[in-house]
PDB file of all heavy atoms in Angstrom:
ATOM      1  N   ILE A 227      55.984  16.916  59.756  1.00  0.00           N
ATOM      2  CA  ILE A 227      55.057  16.217  60.639  1.00  0.00           C
ATOM      3  C   ILE A 227      54.433  15.018  59.927  1.00  0.00           C
ATOM      4  O   ILE A 227      54.236  13.967  60.529  1.00  0.00           O
ATOM      5  CB  ILE A 227      53.975  17.178  61.177  1.00  0.00           C
ATOM      6  CG1 ILE A 227      53.160  17.804  60.058  1.00  0.00           C
ATOM      7  CG2 ILE A 227      54.578  18.234  62.068  1.00  0.00           C
ATOM      8  CD1 ILE A 227      52.010  18.651  60.541  1.00  0.00           C
ATOM      9  N   GLY A 228      54.124  15.160  58.634  1.00  0.00           N
ATOM     10  CA  GLY A 228      53.580  14.028  57.884  1.00  0.00           C
ATOM     11  C   GLY A 228      54.595  12.914  57.737  1.00  0.00           C
ATOM     12  O   GLY A 228      54.253  11.729  57.802  1.00  0.00           O
ATOM     13  N   ASP A 229      55.859  13.284  57.548  1.00  0.00           N
ATOM     14  CA  ASP A 229      56.925  12.293  57.435  1.00  0.00           C
ATOM     15  C   ASP A 229      57.069  11.508  58.738  1.00  0.00           C
ATOM     16  O   ASP A 229      57.247  10.280  58.734  1.00  0.00           O
ATOM     17  CB  ASP A 229      58.231  12.997  57.074  1.00  0.00           C
ATOM     18  CG  ASP A 229      59.380  12.025  56.860  1.00  0.00           C
ATOM     19  OD1 ASP A 229      59.169  10.983  56.211  1.00  0.00           O
ATOM     20  OD2 ASP A 229      60.498  12.313  57.338  1.00  0.00           O
ATOM     21  N   PHE A 230      56.980  12.224  59.874  1.00  0.00           N
ATOM     22  CA  PHE A 230      57.051  11.548  61.175  1.00  0.00           C
ATOM     23  C   PHE A 230      55.902  10.564  61.338  1.00  0.00           C
ATOM     24  O   PHE A 230      56.093   9.410  61.719  1.00  0.00           O
ATOM     25  CB  PHE A 230      57.013  12.585  62.303  1.00  0.00           C
ATOM     26  CG  PHE A 230      56.788  11.987  63.669  1.00  0.00           C
ATOM     27  CD1 PHE A 230      57.794  11.289  64.312  1.00  0.00           C
ATOM     28  CD2 PHE A 230      55.560  12.119  64.312  1.00  0.00           C
ATOM     29  CE1 PHE A 230      57.590  10.722  65.564  1.00  0.00           C
ATOM     30  CE2 PHE A 230      55.346  11.565  65.555  1.00  0.00           C
ATOM     31  CZ  PHE A 230      56.364  10.859  66.184  1.00  0.00           C
ATOM     32  N   ARG A 231      54.690  11.005  61.038  1.00  0.00           N
ATOM     33  CA  ARG A 231      53.516  10.142  61.166  1.00  0.00           C
ATOM     34  C   ARG A 231      53.650   8.912  60.269  1.00  0.00           C
ATOM     35  O   ARG A 231      53.393   7.778  60.706  1.00  0.00           O
ATOM     36  CB  ARG A 231      52.264  10.934  60.794  1.00  0.00           C
ATOM     37  CG  ARG A 231      50.953  10.134  60.863  1.00  0.00           C
ATOM     38  CD  ARG A 231      49.809  10.968  60.340  1.00  0.00           C
ATOM     39  NE  ARG A 231      50.089  11.416  58.976  1.00  0.00           N
ATOM     40  CZ  ARG A 231      49.572  12.512  58.432  1.00  0.00           C
ATOM     41  NH1 ARG A 231      48.745  13.269  59.109  1.00  0.00           N
ATOM     42  NH2 ARG A 231      49.873  12.845  57.191  1.00  0.00           N
ATOM     43  N   ASP A 232      54.084   9.115  59.022  1.00  0.00           N
ATOM     44  CA  ASP A 232      54.200   7.998  58.082  1.00  0.00           C
ATOM     45  C   ASP A 232      55.277   7.006  58.511  1.00  0.00           C
ATOM     46  O   ASP A 232      55.091   5.785  58.398  1.00  0.00           O
ATOM     47  CB  ASP A 232      54.508   8.522  56.676  1.00  0.00           C
ATOM     48  CG  ASP A 232      53.357   9.339  56.097  1.00  0.00           C
ATOM     49  OD1 ASP A 232      52.227   9.222  56.626  1.00  0.00           O
ATOM     50  OD2 ASP A 232      53.596  10.093  55.142  1.00  0.00           O
ATOM     51  N   LYS A 233      56.391   7.527  59.009  1.00  0.00           N
ATOM     52  CA  LYS A 233      57.482   6.646  59.441  1.00  0.00           C
ATOM     53  C   LYS A 233      57.047   5.763  60.610  1.00  0.00           C
ATOM     54  O   LYS A 233      57.372   4.568  60.667  1.00  0.00           O
ATOM     55  CB  LYS A 233      58.706   7.474  59.831  1.00  0.00           C
ATOM     56  CG  LYS A 233      59.575   7.927  58.660  1.00  0.00           C
ATOM     57  CD  LYS A 233      60.786   8.695  59.146  1.00  0.00           C
ATOM     58  CE  LYS A 233      61.820   8.884  58.046  1.00  0.00           C
ATOM     59  NZ  LYS A 233      61.354   9.637  56.900  1.00  0.00           N
ATOM     60  N   VAL A 234      56.323   6.361  61.566  1.00  0.00           N
ATOM     61  CA  VAL A 234      55.875   5.590  62.730  1.00  0.00           C
ATOM     62  C   VAL A 234      54.820   4.567  62.314  1.00  0.00           C
ATOM     63  O   VAL A 234      54.877   3.393  62.716  1.00  0.00           O
ATOM     64  CB  VAL A 234      55.330   6.527  63.823  1.00  0.00           C
ATOM     65  CG1 VAL A 234      54.703   5.719  64.961  1.00  0.00           C
ATOM     66  CG2 VAL A 234      56.447   7.416  64.361  1.00  0.00           C
ATOM     67  N   ARG A 235      53.862   4.979  61.510  1.00  0.00           N
ATOM     68  CA  ARG A 235      52.806   4.055  61.092  1.00  0.00           C
ATOM     69  C   ARG A 235      53.344   2.921  60.237  1.00  0.00           C
ATOM     70  O   ARG A 235      52.833   1.795  60.272  1.00  0.00           O
ATOM     71  CB  ARG A 235      51.726   4.816  60.333  1.00  0.00           C
ATOM     72  CG  ARG A 235      50.847   5.671  61.245  1.00  0.00           C
ATOM     73  CD  ARG A 235      49.756   6.379  60.474  1.00  0.00           C
ATOM     74  NE  ARG A 235      48.796   7.002  61.367  1.00  0.00           N
ATOM     75  CZ  ARG A 235      47.777   7.736  60.969  1.00  0.00           C
ATOM     76  NH1 ARG A 235      47.600   7.961  59.663  1.00  0.00           N
ATOM     77  NH2 ARG A 235      46.938   8.262  61.839  1.00  0.00           N
ATOM     78  N   ALA A 236      54.401   3.188  59.470  1.00  0.00           N
ATOM     79  CA  ALA A 236      54.975   2.151  58.615  1.00  0.00           C
ATOM     80  C   ALA A 236      55.612   1.022  59.418  1.00  0.00           C
ATOM     81  O   ALA A 236      55.818  -0.080  58.894  1.00  0.00           O
ATOM     82  CB  ALA A 236      56.016   2.766  57.682  1.00  0.00           C
ATOM     83  N   LEU A 237      55.891   1.270  60.689  1.00  0.00           N
ATOM     84  CA  LEU A 237      56.503   0.250  61.540  1.00  0.00           C
ATOM     85  C   LEU A 237      55.489  -0.792  62.004  1.00  0.00           C
ATOM     86  O   LEU A 237      55.878  -1.828  62.547  1.00  0.00           O
ATOM     87  CB  LEU A 237      57.169   0.910  62.754  1.00  0.00           C
ATOM     88  CG  LEU A 237      58.354   1.828  62.438  1.00  0.00           C
ATOM     89  CD1 LEU A 237      58.814   2.536  63.702  1.00  0.00           C
ATOM     90  CD2 LEU A 237      59.502   1.027  61.835  1.00  0.00           C
ATOM     91  N   GLY A 238      54.209  -0.503  61.813  1.00  0.00           N
ATOM     92  CA  GLY A 238      53.173  -1.463  62.213  1.00  0.00           C
ATOM     93  C   GLY A 238      53.202  -1.736  63.701  1.00  0.00           C
ATOM     94  O   GLY A 238      53.053  -0.826  64.518  1.00  0.00           O
ATOM     95  N   GLU A 239      53.446  -3.000  64.057  1.00  0.00           N
ATOM     96  CA  GLU A 239      53.438  -3.408  65.462  1.00  0.00           C
ATOM     97  C   GLU A 239      54.826  -3.327  66.101  1.00  0.00           C
ATOM     98  O   GLU A 239      54.998  -3.711  67.259  1.00  0.00           O
ATOM     99  CB  GLU A 239      52.890  -4.832  65.586  1.00  0.00           C
ATOM    100  CG  GLU A 239      51.429  -4.968  65.138  1.00  0.00           C
ATOM    101  CD  GLU A 239      50.907  -6.380  65.318  1.00  0.00           C
ATOM    102  OE1 GLU A 239      51.690  -7.253  65.737  1.00  0.00           O
ATOM    103  OE2 GLU A 239      49.710  -6.604  65.047  1.00  0.00           O
ATOM    104  N   ALA A 240      55.806  -2.849  65.347  1.00  0.00           N
ATOM    105  CA  ALA A 240      57.161  -2.733  65.900  1.00  0.00           C
ATOM    106  C   ALA A 240      57.304  -1.424  66.681  1.00  0.00           C
ATOM    107  O   ALA A 240      56.638  -0.435  66.389  1.00  0.00           O
ATOM    108  CB  ALA A 240      58.186  -2.777  64.770  1.00  0.00           C
ATOM    109  N   ASP A 241      58.181  -1.435  67.688  1.00  0.00           N
ATOM    110  CA  ASP A 241      58.453  -0.222  68.451  1.00  0.00           C
ATOM    111  C   ASP A 241      59.187   0.790  67.577  1.00  0.00           C
ATOM    112  O   ASP A 241      59.924   0.425  66.654  1.00  0.00           O
ATOM    113  CB  ASP A 241      59.318  -0.535  69.677  1.00  0.00           C
ATOM    114  CG  ASP A 241      58.567  -1.337  70.725  1.00  0.00           C
ATOM    115  OD1 ASP A 241      57.327  -1.406  70.626  1.00  0.00           O
ATOM    116  OD2 ASP A 241      59.221  -1.897  71.625  1.00  0.00           O
ATOM    117  N   ALA A 242      58.991   2.064  67.881  1.00  0.00           N
ATOM    118  CA  ALA A 242      59.687   3.138  67.176  1.00  0.00           C
ATOM    119  C   ALA A 242      60.778   3.690  68.087  1.00  0.00           C
ATOM    120  O   ALA A 242      60.516   4.080  69.227  1.00  0.00           O
ATOM    121  CB  ALA A 242      58.710   4.246  66.789  1.00  0.00           C
ATOM    122  N   LYS A 243      62.001   3.712  67.582  1.00  0.00           N
ATOM    123  CA  LYS A 243      63.123   4.279  68.316  1.00  0.00           C
ATOM    124  C   LYS A 243      63.299   5.730  67.864  1.00  0.00           C
ATOM    125  O   LYS A 243      63.646   5.988  66.710  1.00  0.00           O
ATOM    126  CB  LYS A 243      64.406   3.495  68.052  1.00  0.00           C
ATOM    127  CG  LYS A 243      64.312   2.016  68.392  1.00  0.00           C
ATOM    128  CD  LYS A 243      64.193   1.783  69.895  1.00  0.00           C
ATOM    129  CE  LYS A 243      64.237   0.289  70.216  1.00  0.00           C
ATOM    130  NZ  LYS A 243      64.098   0.034  71.670  1.00  0.00           N
ATOM    131  N   LEU A 244      63.040   6.673  68.765  1.00  0.00           N
ATOM    132  CA  LEU A 244      63.064   8.085  68.418  1.00  0.00           C
ATOM    133  C   LEU A 244      64.352   8.741  68.918  1.00  0.00           C
ATOM    134  O   LEU A 244      64.736   8.575  70.082  1.00  0.00           O
ATOM    135  CB  LEU A 244      61.869   8.813  69.043  1.00  0.00           C
ATOM    136  CG  LEU A 244      60.477   8.221  68.779  1.00  0.00           C
ATOM    137  CD1 LEU A 244      59.416   9.081  69.468  1.00  0.00           C
ATOM    138  CD2 LEU A 244      60.205   8.093  67.291  1.00  0.00           C
ATOM    139  N   ASP A 245      65.018   9.477  68.037  1.00  0.00           N
ATOM    140  CA  ASP A 245      66.137  10.329  68.436  1.00  0.00           C
ATOM    141  C   ASP A 245      65.561  11.686  68.824  1.00  0.00           C
ATOM    142  O   ASP A 245      64.900  12.344  68.000  1.00  0.00           O
ATOM    143  CB  ASP A 245      67.144  10.485  67.298  1.00  0.00           C
ATOM    144  CG  ASP A 245      67.870   9.178  66.990  1.00  0.00           C
ATOM    145  OD1 ASP A 245      67.976   8.337  67.900  1.00  0.00           O
ATOM    146  OD2 ASP A 245      68.323   8.999  65.847  1.00  0.00           O
ATOM    147  N   VAL A 246      65.820  12.108  70.059  1.00  0.00           N
ATOM    148  CA  VAL A 246      65.169  13.282  70.627  1.00  0.00           C
ATOM    149  C   VAL A 246      66.222  14.267  71.126  1.00  0.00           C
ATOM    150  O   VAL A 246      67.278  13.865  71.636  1.00  0.00           O
ATOM    151  CB  VAL A 246      64.242  12.874  71.791  1.00  0.00           C
ATOM    152  CG1 VAL A 246      63.640  14.092  72.483  1.00  0.00           C
ATOM    153  CG2 VAL A 246      63.139  11.955  71.284  1.00  0.00           C
TER     154      VAL A 246
END
Side-chain angles (χ1 to χ4, degrees):
I227 60 175
D229 183 43
F230 168 73
R231 179 186 57 206
D232 294 343
K233 279 182 167 61
V234 173
R235 286 182 170 177
L237 295 173
E239 297 182 357
D241 291 346
K243 303 292 185 181
L244 307 180
D245 292 334
V246 175

